[in-house]
Amino acid sequence: EGAADIRGVVGARVTVTVTAGARVKTCDMNVNNEAVPGGNQTVQDGKTRCAWNLVLAPRMTGLWSLQLRDKNGFCNSAFERQMAVLPDNPPTVEIVAPTAREIRLKPTDRMPVEYAAKDDGRIAGAELLIRIDGGKETAVKCDSPTFAAGSDKWVGRAPLDLALLHASKAAKITCRVRVSDTLPAEARGPQYGLSEELVVLIDHNAAKYMDLMIAAQEAEILSRINAAL
């Protein structure tokens, strides 16, 4: 409504609506001189409301226009507005905890892999890609990330449970976080982003991950106290 320019990333869904002060016989929308399907009409209190639902595609960059015609053949004044369809960049993701890219764990340990992702739209989902001793990479779905207020990032946590992987005889496990965006299939989506690799070395004599985290927190607190003295 308001006959404004349209600007959005490829795959974005846009609804264009127009309300005529009287009943109309036809309502047509064109993008770059090509008719857009739709124009669904509803009539209320003698006024006609027409709506088109669009999925933005690269070929639609250019001009769009609307023309309404009543039963007597009269139509609205001609106008054209700009439509700009921007590229949808794939998402990016990084592992933020643990900060080390190689860690030793017991084969029965459990470690949360925390990550932060960015996208020019919305992050739709996440999964942990796991490979044991160089074998086939398998995907484990994670809870969907949430948008971190006051930032431009989507954050989430992917649990790596070594006991469920039956890792007692393994030597090395690698994992990566993969996130997907909301680019629809008709726009060749979704797109994916991959984190760097996290390496877990299986060590039956390693300290428990939780004990390592507690020790690290105690060391940080002690360091701050010493710095304040």
Side-chain angles (χ1 to χ4, degrees), residues 110-125:
R110 191 174 190 270
M111 177 181 69
V113 178
E114 299 178 16
Y115 64 90
K118 290 184 178 182
D119 189 56
D120 45 19
R122 183 174 66 85
I123 298 295

Side-chain angles (χ1 to χ4, degrees), residues 30-163:
N30 289 279
V31 175
N32 296 328
N33 296 318
E34 292 186 11
V36 176
N40 300 318
Q41 297 185 32
T42 56
V43 178
Q44 185 175 3
D45 298 328
K47 297 181 179 180
T48 302
R49 185 181 181 91
C50 302
W52 293 262
N53 295 312
L54 312 176
V55 177
L56 299 186
R59 69 178 187 281
M60 299 168 75
T61 291
L63 298 174
W64 70 276
S65 63
L66 292 175
Q67 186 174 75
L68 310 182
R69 191 179 301 274
D70 66 15
K71 63 181 181 179
N72 298 313
F74 293 107
C75 59
N76 59 288
S77 300
F79 75 90
E80 289 183 322
R81 296 292 185 270
Q82 295 287 332
M83 180 179 291
V85 182
L86 309 176
D88 186 348
N89 297 313
T92 61
V93 59
E94 63 175 342
I95 294 174
V96 296
T99 55
R101 287 298 163 258
E102 184 174 289
I103 188 169
R104 292 181 176 273
L105 293 178
K106 291 180 177 294
T108 55
D109 214 341
R110 191 174 190 270
M111 177 181 69
V113 178
E114 299 178 16
Y115 64 90
K118 290 184 178 182
D119 189 56
D120 45 19
R122 183 174 66 85
I123 298 295
E127 52 193 359
L128 198 60
L129 303 181
I130 300 171
R131 192 189 307 273
I132 301 176
D133 287 336
K136 182 179 179 181
E137 198 169 49
T138 58
V140 178
K141 286 191 175 296
C142 312
D143 291 339
S144 296
T146 57
F147 189 73
S151 77
D152 59 349
K153 297 179 180 180
W154 296 76
V155 296
R157 175 179 291 186
L160 178 63
D161 194 331
L162 300 183

Side-chain angles (χ1 to χ4, degrees), residues 202-214:
I202 302 301
D203 185 347
H204 291 260
N205 297 316
K208 289 185 177 181
Y209 180 75
M210 188 57 66
D211 293 339
L212 293 174
M213 293 301 98
I214 293 174

Side-chain angles (χ1 to χ4, degrees), residues 10-13 55-56 88 181-192:
V10 61
R13 299 180 184 276
V55 177
L56 299 186
D88 186 348
D181 65 9
T182 57
L183 188 66
E186 55 264 37
R188 299 183 179 180
Q191 300 179 110
Y192 296 95

